[in-house]
Amino acid sequence: MLSLFAQIGYNQNYSIPINRSIESFFIQQLDTSSQFHSGIKPFFKEEAHKIINTDSLVNSFSISTNSSLLDQILNKNLIDIKKEKFSFEINPILNSGGGLEKLPSRKVGISEIAFGMGIKVSFQKKWTGEFDFLADNSQYPLHIDYLLKQQFAGQGYGYTKNQQAMYFQGNISFKADEVFTFQAGVGKNFIGDGYRSLFLSDYSNSYPYFKATATIWKIKYTALYTNFQDIRYGSGSYSDFRHKFSTIHHLSLNATKWLNLSFFESIVFEAQEGSFYRGFDLSYLNPVIFQRPVEYHQGSADNALLGGGFKIKIKKNNILYSQLLLDEFLLSEIRANKGWWANKYGYQFGIKFYDFASIKHLKLQAEYNVVRPFTYSYFEEPSRMNTLQNYGHYNLPLAHPLGANFTEIVGIVSYYKNRWLIEFTNTFATVGLDTNTTSSIGQNIYLPYNLREKEYGYQTSGGLKTTIVNNSLKVSFLLNPKMKTILSLEINNRSYKNNHSSFSSNWITIGLKTALFNRYFDI
């Protein structure tokens, strides 16, 4: 099954796509291993290979046929060249399909038309390159369409206007030795073991980055240097986008066979300060974790986030996981319990059950997420646009899709057999939305926190209390494991309710898609 995300050949150290449907076929072996670090994605193929026997998984998925055409459709890459020191692959990328959304007063057609190409290249044992491009012209469900028109970005793509968008991801990786791997490219990263992440998720568009990874003993350490963009005033022109940089550190320690501890930090800083182009501050190249937050509290104007998490394996196939995100807080104000605005933090608790009720490949997952008002946001001065230093990219949050000021419960059931996969997902969120356009209640991370109306009295989900419930049932057939193409039928229900409005919608879609990245309609 490892062929789902990495092609045959041990020398090909490709990145494994961050896609949950594809992950369903292999994640149990990695997630329950005491030797693997599952808390940061994408995984490298070679680190996964140490846990999963590649050849036996590939053979178990092959479908025998006497037809060369069916063999190509079901089992092979479009172009696949393999030599002793070199390999080259080309595959089509497509998201095509359609459906219908039923709203209280009308019905709306849903269409998805996206085509592109994926290329993979490897040279000797150390070098790999991956490049994926996709052009999209789609009509989404009404609530997603509304967000796209407001934000000009969404569903993981880049700048979106008139239903048109493009997506690109690519990287070049160098495996120096058994310890160090270096990667430069444009893409997404995900930190955490949950369905959501409070540290760094794959919700927003891809971004330029350089990543250095060191794996030694029971430790995996990652230093990630990124370039995020604020597109609000660019009118779609990349040259007019405002830039900010981030240094992200993540340390994963397999402390025992049943306990993993992780530590996280992110520093976000502007590329431009007034008329001065600051660029990437070289001091932030320092790979030592938790050094810069000390300087931040000594007067740095940059935005610092800290966090930690744990993962506990219970018996053989059960996982308890958690994250704690700290943006800013005072312990004395937390004890006072007066709802001080600057007590900005979030936490996550979740549990996974693999082979539930002794049914092989049946997985249950439950997750609880809470993020306080104003978390991830930043202040703004009239003479400067330093809300750039909020934790966002392309008008979207870099962590949880709901931004801040919410509580959420997630429930997931999935089961696969052979190439068939069934997934049911439920999300129940209570979000505190803004009640006017001149002040911030702390949910929209792109509104500066100095637009708040008061200093105290902020409770999670305060403001215009809104309940959002999503239910999704997806039945998929893995058409080609190497191309990662999936034929799927999906049925969705969404309800939205507050004191000002209340409506629900249902939609059904069928399509043939390349499992390249995750897409989030449950917002």
Side-chain angles (χ1 to χ4, degrees):
M1 297 172 199
L2 194 58
S3 61
L4 299 173
F5 49 81
Q7 318 307 320
I8 300 173
Y10 183 72
N11 294 344
Q12 300 169 350
N13 193 29
Y14 297 132
S15 297
I16 301 171
I18 309 174
N19 179 274
R20 288 188 178 83
S21 294
I22 289 294
E23 281 183 358
S24 297
F25 293 95
F26 66 85
I27 193 64
Q28 178 176 349
Q29 295 96 315
L30 302 181
D31 206 7
T32 58
S33 171
S34 60
Q35 303 174 16
F36 193 77
H37 298 272
S38 61
I40 184 165
K41 303 173 185 178
F43 307 138
F44 285 109
K45 184 258 181 177
E46 282 195 13
E47 63 181 344
H49 182 90
K50 297 175 182 178
I51 308 301
I52 303 174
N53 187 312
T54 309
D55 294 334
S56 63
L57 292 173
V58 169
N59 294 334
S60 70
F61 247 95
S62 180
I63 296 179
S64 298
T65 175
N66 294 325
S67 168
S68 59
L69 177 60
L70 282 177
D71 191 38
Q72 176 67 65
I73 293 174
L74 297 173
N75 299 318
K76 292 185 177 181
N77 294 309
L78 180 63
I79 297 176
D80 193 342
I81 301 172
K82 288 184 172 62
K83 303 295 183 180
E84 183 179 354
K85 295 183 178 181
F86 172 82
S87 71
F88 180 73
E89 301 166 9
I90 296 180
N91 281 312
I93 298 174
L94 68 158
N95 285 334
S96 60
L100 185 69
E101 181 179 20
K102 184 179 179 181
L103 300 164
S105 59
R106 59 192 172 110
K107 295 180 180 179
V108 180
I110 298 174
S111 63
E112 192 162 7
I113 305 172
F115 298 96
M117 180 179 294
I119 300 174
K120 295 181 184 292
V121 181
S122 70
F123 180 70
Q124 294 184 336
K125 294 183 178 182
K126 296 183 178 293
W127 293 93
T128 58
E130 304 170 82
F131 309 94
D132 300 304
F133 171 80
L134 188 68
D136 179 273
N137 189 326
S138 300
Q139 177 64 53
Y140 296 105
L142 183 64
H143 73 289
I144 299 297
D145 184 63
Y146 174 78
L147 288 176
L148 292 178
K149 291 177 180 177
Q150 294 293 315
Q151 302 170 336
F152 296 101
Q155 293 310 303
Y157 288 143
Y159 187 83
T160 303
K161 189 173 182 180
N162 298 325
Q163 301 176 3
Q164 299 181 25
M166 291 187 178
Y167 179 79
F168 173 77
Q169 65 181 25
N171 64 72
I172 296 176
S173 300
F174 175 66
K175 184 176 174 59
D177 50 36
E178 292 302 312
V179 175
F180 294 101
T181 301
F182 303 95
Q183 186 179 83
V186 176
K188 304 182 184 187
N189 295 269
F190 187 98
I191 297 178
D193 289 289
Y195 177 72
R196 310 289 198 190
S197 173
L198 305 187
F199 295 164
L200 179 64
S201 78
D202 56 341
Y203 176 59
S204 64
N205 187 29
S206 56
Y207 43 84
Y209 68 88
F210 175 78
K211 179 165 60 177
T213 302
T215 305
I216 185 171
W217 189 53
K218 299 180 179 182
I219 294 174
K220 181 177 181 180
Y221 186 76
T222 302
L224 180 65
Y225 307 96
T226 71
N227 174 205
F228 301 132
Q229 291 97 48
D230 190 319
I231 68 172
R232 288 176 292 170
Y233 306 99
S235 299
S237 173
Y238 184 84
S239 61
D240 293 329
F241 294 167
R242 298 174 183 251
H243 292 255
K244 56 187 171 184
F245 298 103
S246 175
T247 293
I248 297 172
H249 297 140
H250 182 263
L251 187 151
S252 173
L253 169 64
N254 287 327
T256 69
K257 291 183 177 180
W258 54 270
L259 174 64
N260 172 274
L261 300 174
S262 61
F263 304 93
F264 161 85
E265 74 168 351
S266 174
I267 311 293
V268 181
F269 52 100
E270 294 176 279
Q272 183 113 8
E273 294 184 350
S275 60
F276 172 70
Y277 182 76
R278 177 183 180 185
F280 195 100
D281 191 331
L282 295 182
S283 64
Y284 285 120
L285 290 176
N286 191 327
V288 179
I289 193 169
F290 296 152
Q291 179 174 352
R292 296 303 298 177
V294 174
E295 298 184 19
Y296 165 80
H297 285 294
Q298 291 176 348
S300 169
D302 301 327
N303 189 10
L305 300 172
L306 298 175
F310 67 77
K311 172 184 169 183
I312 298 174
K313 185 169 68 171
I314 304 172
K315 293 185 177 181
K316 182 180 179 180
N317 290 319
N318 306 318
I319 301 293
L320 180 67
Y321 61 91
S322 180
Q323 287 185 335
L324 173 63
L325 184 282
L326 301 177
D327 187 347
E328 185 178 357
F329 75 98
L330 285 177
L331 185 59
S332 59
E333 293 288 358
I334 292 179
R335 289 174 175 172
N337 196 28
K338 295 181 180 180
W340 187 44
W341 74 272
N343 282 336
K344 300 182 290 179
Y345 58 85
Y347 55 88
Q348 174 189 89
F349 291 100
I351 190 166
K352 306 174 189 177
F353 302 96
Y354 291 103
D355 294 343
F356 184 75
S358 299
I359 301 175
K360 194 170 180 62
H361 306 319
L362 176 62
K363 174 187 173 185
L364 272 64
Q365 182 175 356
E367 184 173 295
Y368 182 59
N369 298 297
V370 177
V371 177
R372 284 272 303 166
F374 302 106
T375 306
Y376 306 115
S377 62
Y378 211 64
F379 69 88
E380 180 179 30
E381 295 177 0
S383 61
R384 301 172 62 198
M385 188 184 166
N386 50 13
T387 49
L388 278 173
Q389 295 182 154
N390 72 334
Y391 202 54
H393 170 63
Y394 264 74
N395 276 355
L396 300 172
L398 279 164
H400 197 290
L402 293 176
N405 195 22
F406 67 86
T407 63
E408 180 191 48
I409 299 173
V410 179
I412 302 171
V413 181
S414 66
Y415 172 77
Y416 79 88
K417 185 173 183 179
N418 300 325
R419 292 194 183 195
W420 288 95
L421 172 65
I422 300 175
E423 302 167 277
F424 173 77
T425 304
N426 167 267
T427 64
F428 182 97
T430 303
V431 188
L433 301 179
D434 291 318
T435 55
N436 58 68
T437 59
T438 60
S439 62
S440 173
I441 201 69
Q443 186 271 329
N444 185 349
I445 69 168
Y446 275 90
L447 290 178
Y449 58 63
N450 52 326
L451 283 182
R452 64 189 183 276
E453 290 183 332
K454 54 188 179 182
E455 296 296 300
Y456 293 91
Y458 292 97
Q459 304 299 324
T460 305
S461 302
L464 180 59
K465 191 172 183 179
T466 304
T467 301
I468 305 174
V469 181
N470 289 276
N471 293 286
S472 171
L473 176 63
K474 184 178 179 182
V475 180
S476 304
F477 178 74
L478 183 61
L479 186 66
N480 188 314
K482 291 186 178 179
M483 292 188 186
K484 301 180 291 294
T485 50
I486 293 178
L487 180 64
S488 63
L489 171 68
E490 190 167 357
I491 302 172
N492 297 270
N493 165 264
R494 179 179 186 266
S495 65
Y496 178 98
K497 184 178 181 179
N498 58 38
N499 289 335
H500 292 174
S501 63
S502 176
F503 65 90
S504 65
S505 63
N506 301 280
W507 69 94
I508 182 171
T509 57
I510 185 170
L512 182 64
K513 303 180 181 182
T514 301
L516 192 62
F517 52 86
N518 291 313
R519 317 197 64 194
Y520 296 91
F521 294 90
D522 52 354
I523 52 178

